[in-house]
Amino acid sequence: MTIYERAQQIWSVLVFAAREQKVISYEMIGDMTGMANESGTALGHIWHYCESKGLPLLNLLAISKKTGVPGYLVNVADLPAQQARVFVYDWLKHGVPSVEELQ
């Protein structure tokens, strides 16, 4: 499985988390996808895709259990507002980006 296919898989997990209005740890992502300690690069591709399309940053729902914040973040003070934007966005309507779009 390529890193872009992994990003697609993690995308779906994060969309489910958004629908439930929950943040999830990197460890939980690893448990759910079988990709322990491999989500960082895939989350970076998700961040880049969202940033380039002007979408809420879906990757902000994936947090470190130790710090409580995501690895890809511009302003920690604005984190709750940014996560709220992720929660209310209609991700199911948007759909899953293709492997090519995540590259």
Side-chain angles (χ1 to χ4, degrees):
M1 181 177 283
T2 69
I3 194 65
Y4 308 108
E5 292 167 329
R6 292 181 191 277
Q8 278 186 316
Q9 188 178 19
I10 292 172
W11 179 280
S12 296
V13 170
L14 293 175
V15 166
F16 180 76
R19 298 273 301 172
E20 296 295 314
Q21 297 192 2
K22 307 250 186 235
V23 295
I24 57 175
S25 69
Y26 299 131
E27 291 83 358
M28 288 178 69
I29 290 172
D31 291 345
M32 294 170 136
T33 62
M35 297 184 281
N37 300 319
E38 297 180 38
S39 62
T41 303
L43 286 166
H45 289 289
I46 291 171
W47 172 83
H48 186 268
Y49 174 82
C50 290
E51 182 77 14
S52 69
K53 299 291 183 183
L55 300 172
L57 302 176
L58 184 60
N59 65 289
L60 295 182
L61 300 187
I63 63 168
S64 164
K65 202 187 282 187
K66 185 176 180 180
T67 66
V69 297
Y72 289 87
L73 181 64
V74 176
N75 183 357
V76 175
D78 193 36
L79 180 59
Q82 290 183 61
Q83 288 172 329
R85 284 191 289 279
V86 174
F87 292 150
V88 300
Y89 186 78
D90 189 353
W91 295 103
L92 295 179
K93 184 177 179 182
H94 179 79
V96 179
S98 69
V99 168
E100 293 76 24
E101 289 174 307
L102 289 167
Q103 290 179 339

